[in-house]
Every structure is written in C-alpha cells, then in structure tokens.
Amino acid sequence: MASARNKKMINAHRAGKNLIDELESPRLHESGVEKLGDGYERLEERLSETNARLQVLQQVTASVHSTLDLDEGFKQITDGAVHSLGYTTAFVMMIDNEKKCFQVRALSTQKHLLHQIGKVLGFSLKNLSVSVGYDSNANIQSVLEGRTAVTKSLAEIAYPLISKKACSALGKLGETKNCILVPLTVGEEIVGAVFITSPREEVSQGELITLQNFAGAASQAIGNANLHTQVKLGEETLRQSEENLKTYLESTPDGVYLNDLKGTLLYGNKKAEELTGYKREELIGNSFLKLNLLLAKDLAKAGKLLALNAMRRTTGPDEFELIRKDGSHIWVEINTTPIKQGKKVMLWRRIPRISSSNRKLRTSLNLSTPNF
C-alpha cells in the first residue's frame, strides 16, 4: 500500500515538473507574448478608429451648427461619412410633404462611382426615391418605426424600386458589404433617414453609434432651418403688420402722436403735422410739456392727465387749445390710450380737430368740461 502511495507521489511529481518545463518553454513564452501583442494592436486600432470617428463627428456637428442652409448642412454630413469615414455612398433622404416617399436631399459617393451608378440605374442618384407606403419592405417599415436597419443586400432596402439584378450590380460596383439605414427624427416624428453603404464586412456597435449621431446632426440641421424659417416668417409678419399700421396711421383723418410717460414724443403722423404746423422731425425726441404747443394755463391739466395715464388709465376726450407753429390757435380733442411695449408703457394720442362751429355750440351748451 505504501508502495502504491509512493508511486502516485512520483507520478504527480513528474507531471508537475513537466508542466513547469512546459510553462518555462521559450516557445510557449513567445506565443503568449505574440498573442498579447496582437491584442494590444487590435485595441489600439479600435481606439484609433473611435477617435477618428469622434473627430469627424465633432467637425460635422460644428459645420451643421454654423449654417442655416439645410442642404449645406446635409452635404457636410454625407461628405463626412464618405470622405472621412470611408463609406462608399451616403444619402440624406427626407419624407416628402405627402408622406409617400423618401426623396434624396444630399448625397456623396466616391467620384469614380457616380457615373457608373447612373448607368446601372438608368437615372441620376439625385432622382432616387423610396416608397414609404404600406407596401414598402420590412427594413423601410423598421426605419419608419424609429429603428436602425442593417442589411447585407441593397435589395433588402431598395427592391422593388430597383430590380434585384440592378441591386446586385450596384453592390458589386461599390464592393458593398453592408447597407445601413438610420431614421431622422424631429421631436417624435420620423422625417427622413440617413442611408449608408459600407465596404466593410462587419458593422461595429461603435459605427452604429457614430451614424446615429450623424443622424442626430441632420435632425439638428432640420431643427435649425425650421427655427430660422419661423423667425423669418415672424419678422415678415411683423414687418407687414408695421407697414399696415403705418399706412393706417398716415391715412387717418385725425392727428396721432405716440409719447412716453415723460411726455417725450416718439411718433407723429401726417395729420398731426397739419394740425400743429410742425414737421414731425421737429417735435420727436422732445416733451410736449416743454414745447410751445400748450397754453401755460393748460400745462397743469396736461400733467394731471399724464399721471392718470401712468396708472394705465385711458383719458379723453379732453379739449385743449393748441398753439401752432405760425402762432395761430386751434381747438382739439385729445384721446389717450396707454399701451405696453415690452416693459414700458407708451401713450397713443388721437387728436381730432374741433371746428369753430362745434366749439361755439359746446361752449353755449356748457359741454366742454375736462374729463379727468
């Protein structure tokens, strides 16, 4: 029994020695170092590719934010995908207004391929459109539901719009190994897609994230353009409103002035010029309380009315005897309406003239009591 135990111990010792010898073998050591070195090289390659994608993404994003031209922003995205990231072709496609198809808004491809692709298709790539109806294929439907689609065959995206034979020819022409379709969203609405063809055998998760960020940049370009359009429309509407108001004020039969709470005149229409005899440029920027427009006895009355207006109270009609530029006097009614412009209160004053006959009639009937 002891002999058997000793034999097992001897065999175990030999096995251990053989294992140590094998581990210390130069051949095994060299193999391990080679594997470790290969691992580091692959890791460095991946890090380098990731950094390159990040740099391109930063450049494209900066370019998109620097322009309000939607097509220019889209072109920056497709150029970045092809010329910096090594894809064969890149499209930005938008859903048309009738929600029937994707239409090409920007495209980039290797220069030597553009003419050959056109020959295979029989039409320009710029005229390419893909149906988004219920009869569209599963990958298009996937994108319309907000999911990224990756396929090995162009036909899985473009058929039946493009025949399978033409899809195969295009795939060989561009050495396409993968087709990627990433949805474009504005808010929660799918408005288009970024379409990429890749010559690489595999599509890494890092690539998909980069392309989704490219799609995000395209969505931002759409948002910027929409905001710019809304601002322009708002500015045009405001300009038109201002022109309409100016036309109305210049054609009204009554004198109209705008002044602030200090009495400083800011605007006067043509009829106001006729009433006072002054050009508006002579009065604007000055307080009517300090100008020779009112009789001394009426200044206190005007000041009290201005105080009421400062409390956002409408006043009038209030009769005043105005002194015209030529020294003559006329009677007018002043109706004042406070309005708010931003944080400031302004006063619109409508000033119809009182005819001599009406003035005499009011005096005789004692109807000229000031309203304040």
Side-chain angles (χ1 to χ4, degrees):
M1 187 172 180
S3 176
R5 188 184 299 113
N6 290 338
K7 188 174 182 180
K8 287 182 179 179
M9 291 178 64
I10 291 170
N11 289 337
H13 176 73
R14 286 176 179 172
K17 187 175 184 304
N18 290 337
L19 179 60
I20 291 171
D21 290 342
E22 186 175 348
L23 289 172
E24 292 179 349
S25 166
R27 180 175 57 80
L28 182 62
H29 181 67
E30 289 173 3
S31 175
V33 170
E34 287 176 1
K35 289 181 180 179
L36 187 60
D38 290 343
Y40 274 122
E41 286 180 5
R42 286 195 297 272
L43 181 59
E44 287 179 351
E45 286 177 4
R46 289 181 182 177
L47 286 174
S48 178
E49 290 172 359
T50 300
N51 286 333
R53 287 197 295 266
L54 285 174
Q55 288 178 3
V56 173
L57 180 60
Q58 288 172 350
Q59 292 169 1
V60 168
T61 302
S63 298
V64 167
H65 281 290
S66 68
T67 180
L68 293 173
D69 185 322
L70 189 56
D71 290 326
E72 182 181 340
F74 286 166
K75 195 67 170 66
Q76 294 283 351
I77 291 166
T78 57
D79 280 350
V82 171
H83 303 306
S84 298
L85 296 182
Y87 293 108
T88 309
T89 56
F91 299 80
V92 172
M93 307 181 77
M94 297 290 291
I95 298 177
D96 68 345
N97 292 332
E98 296 179 354
K99 311 293 184 184
K100 290 184 177 180
C101 64
F102 286 106
Q103 295 179 330
V104 175
R105 286 292 299 269
L107 71 93
S108 299
T109 187
Q110 304 295 339
K111 287 185 178 180
H112 69 281
L113 293 177
L114 191 59
H115 178 66
Q116 297 177 63
I117 292 173
K119 286 182 66 176
V120 172
L121 289 175
F123 57 85
S124 170
L125 273 177
K126 294 179 181 179
N127 297 326
L128 179 67
S129 64
V130 180
S131 172
V132 297
Y134 292 107
D135 58 342
S136 55
N137 63 49
N139 289 300
I140 297 296
Q141 287 298 326
S142 179
V143 169
L144 292 174
E145 293 169 4
R147 298 191 301 273
T148 297
V150 180
T151 72
K152 292 291 184 182
S153 167
L154 178 61
E156 293 179 66
I157 292 175
Y159 180 80
L161 174 67
I162 301 174
S163 69
K164 291 184 178 180
K165 183 178 180 180
C167 286
S168 177
L170 290 172
K172 291 177 181 178
L173 186 63
E175 298 181 354
T176 300
K177 301 296 190 298
N178 282 286
C179 299
I180 308 160
L181 204 56
V182 185
L184 291 182
T185 60
V186 174
E188 297 182 356
E189 182 183 3
I190 306 297
V191 297
V194 174
F195 175 56
I196 300 288
T197 62
S198 172
R200 293 185 277 276
E201 291 287 349
E202 300 296 333
V203 179
S204 69
Q205 187 63 29
E207 281 187 87
L208 287 180
I209 292 173
T210 299
L211 293 177
Q212 287 164 355
N213 285 327
F214 266 53
S219 297
Q220 184 62 55
I222 297 168
N224 290 347
N226 288 344
L227 180 60
H228 179 62
T229 300
Q230 290 171 8
V231 169
K232 285 294 184 183
L233 287 174
E235 289 175 348
E236 177 59 25
T237 301
L238 179 60
R239 186 190 65 78
Q240 190 63 50
S241 297
E242 289 175 345
E243 287 186 2
N244 291 341
L245 177 60
K246 184 177 180 181
T247 300
Y248 168 75
L249 292 175
E250 290 300 317
S251 61
T252 185
D254 297 330
V256 176
Y257 273 112
L258 175 69
N259 63 265
D260 62 18
L261 292 177
K262 295 180 180 179
T264 303
L265 296 166
L266 305 173
Y267 167 80
N269 69 350
K270 185 176 180 180
K271 191 64 178 179
E273 290 182 327
E274 294 176 8
L275 285 173
T276 63
Y278 290 94
K279 292 292 184 183
R280 66 192 83 184
E281 292 80 7
E282 297 179 80
L283 299 178
I284 289 174
N286 298 304
S287 173
F288 72 84
L289 295 173
K290 297 180 180 180
L291 293 167
N292 189 33
L293 288 172
L294 299 177
L295 298 174
K297 66 181 181 66
D298 286 335
L299 289 176
K301 172 183 172 182
K304 289 180 180 179
L305 291 171
L306 192 60
L308 292 174
N309 299 146
M311 293 187 288
R312 304 289 298 277
R313 289 179 59 179
T314 298
T315 57
D318 299 293
E319 292 186 7
F320 283 90
E321 188 175 359
L322 290 187
I323 305 172
R324 303 183 77 245
K325 185 177 182 179
D326 61 6
S328 61
H329 292 204
I330 60 169
W331 282 92
V332 297
E333 287 181 342
I334 298 181
N335 301 272
T336 305
T337 303
I339 60 170
K340 194 170 183 180
Q341 291 188 349
K343 295 183 178 180
K344 296 182 178 180
V345 175
M346 302 295 179
L347 306 177
W348 278 113
R349 297 186 183 276
R350 186 172 63 84
I351 311 174
R353 181 175 182 174
I354 304 174
S355 66
S356 298
S357 57
N358 281 345
R359 173 64 186 164
K360 289 178 181 178
L361 179 61
R362 291 186 183 190
T363 301
S364 64
L365 296 175
N366 196 25
L367 295 177
S368 59
T369 304
N371 182 20
F372 62 90

